[in-house]
């Protein structure tokens, strides 16, 4: 289970239901390492600022603005979405590469077909993920404490 701390920045009413807007700040782990001055990833991480993400969540009694809340995402949802995002494009890429190599030995053509297969796999993954996780269902995956 992934746990993240967020801060309520707004309480609003949408279609007769109260929702809260929660702000989560993503931080790079590379900034805390003792050898980040000597590491290429650490140098890049210093140049990137912390990003704020805003999530709309269902309102629960007692929530107030500027209150910190804990957000939780179940492991099964993380695994399911990761499988969609990584496995579908990868399988289509490998399939496109293998099948195109069977029919031609022209390397630039094999590369082009492989990249086209990867692009198609990405589009399919996007379509599948939007069917499984529409925007209004995201808040149901994240629970608060």
């Amino acid at each position: 289970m992934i746990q993240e701390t967020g801060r309520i920045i707004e309480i609003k009413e949408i279609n007769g239901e109260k929702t809260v807007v929660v702000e989560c700040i993503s931080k790079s782990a590379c900034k805390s390492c003792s050898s980040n001055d000597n590491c290429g990833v650490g140098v890049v991480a210093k140049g990137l600022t912390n990003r704020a993400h805003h999530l709309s969540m269902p309102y629960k009694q007692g929530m107030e603005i500027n209150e910190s809340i804990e957000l939780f995402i179940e492991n099964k949802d993380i695994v399911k979405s990761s499988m969609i995002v990584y496995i579908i494009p990868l399988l289509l890429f490998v399939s496109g590469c293998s099948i195109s190599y069977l029919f031609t030995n022209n390397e630039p053509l094999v590369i082009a077909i492989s990249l086209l297969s990867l692009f198609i796999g990405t589009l399919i993954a996007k379509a599948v993920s939007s069917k499984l996780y529409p925007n209004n269902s995201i808040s149901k995956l994240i629970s608060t404490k």
Side-chain angles (χ1 to χ4, degrees):
M1 178 178 292
I2 290 184
Q3 175 183 353
E4 182 68 38
T5 303
R7 183 176 60 90
I8 298 173
I9 59 171
E10 183 180 0
I11 299 174
K12 58 185 176 181
E13 194 167 323
I14 299 174
N15 298 330
E17 292 186 25
K18 275 189 170 181
T19 60
V20 294
V21 177
V22 179
E23 178 182 60
C24 295
I25 307 290
S26 61
K27 300 173 187 130
S28 173
C30 290
K31 293 180 184 177
S32 61
C33 179
S34 62
S35 63
N36 68 357
D37 292 332
N38 303 325
C39 174
V41 176
V43 172
V44 171
K46 283 182 181 179
L48 301 175
T49 59
N50 295 336
R51 287 185 50 203
H53 303 279
H54 295 156
L55 303 167
S56 292
M57 305 292 299
Y59 175 80
K60 290 185 180 176
Q61 190 65 32
M63 288 183 165
E64 297 176 6
I65 294 178
N66 287 329
E67 178 184 8
S68 290
I69 62 171
E70 299 288 322
L71 304 173
F72 300 97
I73 302 175
E74 294 290 330
N75 288 339
K76 64 181 174 89
D77 295 317
I78 296 168
V79 171
K80 196 185 316 180
S81 58
S82 296
M83 294 287 283
I84 293 168
V85 170
Y86 293 111
I87 298 298
I88 293 175
L90 180 65
L91 286 177
L92 261 73
F93 176 76
V94 171
S95 300
C97 181
S98 301
I99 292 170
S100 64
Y101 188 72
L102 288 174
F103 292 107
T104 182
N105 287 335
N106 185 355
E107 193 170 320
L109 184 61
V110 171
I111 292 171
I113 291 171
S114 301
L115 292 176
L116 179 65
S117 300
L118 179 66
F119 179 72
I120 291 169
T122 305
L123 293 178
I124 291 171
K126 185 175 180 177
V128 169
S129 66
S130 66
K131 290 271 187 197
L132 289 177
Y133 300 112
N135 283 340
N136 58 359
S137 74
I138 299 285
S139 65
K140 295 174 187 161
L141 297 177
I142 303 171
S143 59
T144 58
K145 182 177 182 184

